[in-house]
Structure formats: structure tokens, C-alpha cells
Amino acid sequence: MTHQSRRTFLRNLGGTAALLGPFSSFARFSANDKIRIGCVGMGIQGFADVKDSLSVPGVELAGVADLYTGHLDKVKEVYGRNVFTTRDYRQLLERKDIDAIIVATPDFWHDTISIAAMEKGKAVYCEKPMVQQISEGHEVIATQARTKAVFQVGSQRVSSVGLAEARKRYLAGDIGELVLVEAHMNRHDALGAWQYSIPPDASPETVDFDTWLKDTAKIPFDPVRFFRWRNYKAYGTGIPGDLFVHLISGLHFMTGVPGPQRIYATGNLKQWNDGRDVPDVVMALFDYPGFQVSLQVNFADGGGGGEFTRLVGTEGVLELGWDDFKIKKHKLPAAPGYGGWDTYNTFTKATQEAYVKQYNEKYTPEQRQQPVQEGESSFKAPQGYNSHFEHLANFYTSVRTGANVVEDATFGLRAAGPALLTNESYFQQRPIKWDPVKMVVVG
């Protein structure tokens, strides 16, 4: 889809376009307004972030940092020999020609690099989850407030035109009062379970493993930990930080609720007994004000995997995709009815007649009539639409204009907090109470 057709599509959405205000600001800027970026961490997500960033008019790649020389060589293969590469991310922060930094490292480096970049006057796009520890999140929030730097968290769902339209429909009451949110995100393949490929040249010479370990336990070089870091709680945030945070971010955006008040999780390390110390099956329950949330991820799904997200209300259900959704409505009549699997059938004939007379006096014919069901409605973003591109475009709009980002540090911690506490609940085997406004554990 071209940039012009995206803009036309958003205008046609009417109210939805207002939810994506930064996009229309982006549309006014010329490709000559350059933003030069650096990326720290050129793994899977780093390459994806750079690719879509360079699809935004006026964005140029100035340099990258990574602790594996093979990633740096790949950058030069893809983007040319003139791109500055380094193992030391601090060299990117010192460059005056770099305006913005993408932080696409393992989770335990997010806060350190984000804070250092903001203190050097850089705008920051930090991958989700924003931090590995809740205390780190408060430090990121404080740094952004003090430096006034542009800071956005990389959960693209909050920039999805599909989610924006779903938000509008939800707030309009299309499914009634929200009762339950349930989501499954199951997988049955090795790559989906983070068994990423390890390059044959991985060695202490090609990987600066000691620097990568940061403040974690010092251990001998281990390419498995370096390239499959999501499998270890010392470096990542497990299933909740990788996957739950997407669902939580989208839910908070749609409902406007800051977060749950209690989290309980259980799970198991069922199939991938490969040395990892995080579970491959996690189920979590979240108590939100007025509704409950149930999230599940299973990396050992012999059914073949699959995912769904459902917001169940008193008058319908919203089945949410990534950039699409369906709404199915089903309203109850005001009158409860009688008969069927009911005590009415146990009454004597005289009592039944008295009950029917009383029932008809209490409820009008309209109240007794089954409401006409409105059936199913749906929405789908047009072919070629890319919410990841949209999220990055919104970030660069904020860099250019100073407009508010679509996912700031406070939103980022409110999304990450419940995910991080899912891990805490799992390992501590107890429910955890959370203050979503102050973003602190209670008790």
C-alpha cells in the first residue's frame, strides 16, 4: 500500500483517524526532512525495525551496534559498506549526526541503553517489554520526564488502524459491558519456542559475551544463551514479556483501563527441556476493575498452534485479530422466560397458571419478545497494511514535531508491569496485587 492510499484510507475512517492523529501530521512532512537513526541490537527485531523505519520518508540509517560481528557484517551486506558499525553502543550515542536510537537488544539491556540515549539528547524507540524489572521502568519514566526526550515503546498494536476501529466500537457499547477477555497464543514449532539458529562462527572472538552479560552472573562463553536469550530469566522476560505484553498493550489501548489489580499465574516446563529456566506453558488470570482476563500461551501444542483474542460483553463478543476484528451481538430479552430446564415444570398446573398470569402482568409483550439479533459485523485493514510501519511512522512524527507519542513510558510500564508480575506469580506460586495507577506492587 502506498503512503497516499494509507492516508486516504484513514480519512475515510472518520472518527478512527482522530485516534491516529500523529499519522496525519506525518503526512505533511517532506522526504527531505531527514531523521538519522542508530539501532542497538541487530537481531531479528532490530533488522525488522530498521527495515520499516527506512520505509518512512526522510529516515536514514547512520549506524548500528551489536556484540556479534556477524550481525555487523550483515548490516553492511544489506545497507552498504558506508554504514557505521560498532560493538560499543556508546559510540552511537556520542555521534552528533544521530537523532534517534532504536533499542532492540535483549530485555535486560532496555533500561540501560534507553536512559543513556535520552541523557545524550536522543529520541528513543524501545522494543517491548519496556523493561525487565518494574523498578527500571520508574527510572525510564523519570529520565524521560527530566530530559523531555521523545520516548516510545515498540508495541505496534496501539498504532493499528484495526485496533483503533475496534476501540471506537467497544467504547460505543457495541458489545455491552465487558465481562471477560480471553486470549490464547499457542505454537508447535521449534522457532516459535525460541530455538533460534546459532551461527557456526559463534565464538569468543566473534561475540563480546562478557560485555553482553552486563550485571548478571559471570559465566564462560555460551552461544546458546547469547542467541536464545529468551529462554533464560536472567536476560529475558519469558512468555509474558514476549507475548502477553502485546495482548495487554492492546487491551489497555482499547479500554482505557490502566491495568489489573491482581495477577495469578501457573504453568509448566513441558516439552522444551533444553536448559531453559522459564516455562513453555503459561496460564494467567488478571483481575481488572469490572472484568477478568485469561491469557494462555502453550509452546507444546500438539494441536498445531493458533491464536485468538475475545472480548466478551453482556451483549456481544469482539473477536480481535492483529489488524482486523469481528463483532457478534446477542442481546437478552428483559423478561427471563420460563419453561425449559426450569423449576416451572415442577409446579402444579394451578401454580403454573398463577405464575404465567403474574409473569404477563410484570413484563410487557415487548419485554417478553426475543430481541432481533444484529448478526455479525467485521473490519479488516486493507491488503498491504503494516501496523509495525505505522507505529514507527508515529514515532518519527513525534521526533519531527514534538507531538505526544502513541505509547509513552508510563503506558509502557503499565503494559509491562502485569507481564513481569505474571513471571513473579509463577515463580513465587502466589497471587500478586498491583496498583496500576502508581505502578507498584501492593503488600
Side-chain angles (χ1 to χ4, degrees), residues 34-86:
K34 302 298 183 184
I35 297 176
R36 290 175 60 79
I37 66 170
C39 182
V40 184
M42 290 302 295
I44 302 169
Q45 194 61 46
F47 272 99
D49 288 343
V50 168
K51 177 179 180 293
D52 278 349
S53 290
L54 298 183
S55 297
V56 177
V59 175
E60 294 181 346
L61 181 62
V64 302
D66 196 282
L67 294 174
Y68 167 53
T69 55
H71 286 161
L72 302 180
D73 293 340
K74 179 68 173 180
V75 167
K76 290 186 180 292
E77 278 187 3
V78 175
Y79 295 111
R81 307 303 302 178
N82 292 331
V83 176
F84 175 75
T85 61
T86 178

Side-chain angles (χ1 to χ4, degrees), residues 256-318:
V257 176
Q261 298 165 324
R262 187 172 64 159
I263 300 104
Y264 177 72
T266 185
N268 198 1
L269 182 51
K270 184 67 177 177
Q271 176 168 330
W272 299 101
N273 294 295
D274 50 13
R276 71 180 65 194
D277 57 14
V278 296
D280 54 17
V281 178
V282 178
M283 301 181 70
L285 299 175
F286 303 82
D287 285 332
Y288 278 76
F291 62 94
Q292 275 62 48
V293 175
S294 169
L295 303 184
Q296 172 193 303
V297 170
N298 177 11
F299 284 173
D301 181 10
E307 61 183 80
F308 70 82
T309 301
R310 290 162 33 100
L311 283 75
V312 183
T314 55
E315 298 180 3
V317 59
L318 192 157

Side-chain angles (χ1 to χ4, degrees), residues 111-343:
D111 67 311
T112 301
I113 299 171
S114 294
I115 289 171
M118 286 189 283
E119 289 178 340
K120 288 292 185 179
K122 311 299 185 187
V124 175
Y125 180 96
C126 178
E127 272 302 331
K128 58 78 192 167
M130 186 177 84
V131 289
Q132 189 196 35
Q133 306 293 333
I134 289 170
S135 60
E136 298 168 351
H138 288 282
E139 293 175 10
V140 171
I141 291 171
T143 302
Q144 193 283 323
R146 174 169 46 81
T147 63
K148 309 302 181 187
V150 173
F151 178 90
Q152 179 170 304
V153 181
S155 295
Q156 71 256 30
R157 264 192 160 183
V158 304
S159 288
S160 166
V161 69
L163 204 72
E165 181 67 9
R167 177 181 187 269
K168 185 174 73 171
R169 300 282 296 276
Y170 166 79
L171 294 177
D174 280 19
I175 62 170
E177 184 178 351
L178 186 59
V179 176
L180 174 69
V181 179
E182 52 182 351
H184 291 184
M185 189 179 290
N186 299 329
R187 297 175 175 178
H188 196 239
D189 66 273
L191 294 179
W194 309 324
Q195 297 295 83
Y196 301 136
S197 303
I198 298 174
D201 68 345
S203 71
E205 287 69 43
T206 59
V207 175
D208 187 351
F209 190 68
D210 289 340
T211 295
W212 182 80
L213 287 172
K214 197 184 174 188
D215 53 2
T216 63
K218 301 304 177 186
I219 59 174
F221 173 71
D222 185 348
V224 175
R225 285 178 176 258
F226 184 84
F227 288 99
R228 298 177 178 173
W229 55 269
R230 290 195 184 279
N231 294 328
Y232 304 94
K233 60 184 178 182
Y235 322 121
T237 50
I239 281 172
D242 184 28
L243 300 175
F244 282 8
V245 74
H246 279 301
L247 304 171
I248 295 168
S249 297
L251 177 64
H252 290 184
F253 172 77
M254 283 187 62
T255 64
V257 176
Q261 298 165 324
R262 187 172 64 159
I263 300 104
Y264 177 72
T266 185
N268 198 1
L269 182 51
K270 184 67 177 177
Q271 176 168 330
W272 299 101
N273 294 295
D274 50 13
R276 71 180 65 194
D277 57 14
V278 296
D280 54 17
V281 178
V282 178
M283 301 181 70
L285 299 175
F286 303 82
D287 285 332
Y288 278 76
F291 62 94
Q292 275 62 48
V293 175
S294 169
L295 303 184
Q296 172 193 303
V297 170
N298 177 11
F299 284 173
D301 181 10
E307 61 183 80
F308 70 82
T309 301
R310 290 162 33 100
L311 283 75
V312 183
T314 55
E315 298 180 3
V317 59
L318 192 157
E319 298 176 350
L320 187 65
W322 281 95
D323 297 308
D324 60 280
F325 64 86
K326 294 179 181 178
I327 291 180
K328 300 174 183 178
K329 292 192 173 186
H330 188 88
K331 292 185 178 181
L332 291 173
Y338 58 87
W341 191 262
D342 181 24
T343 54

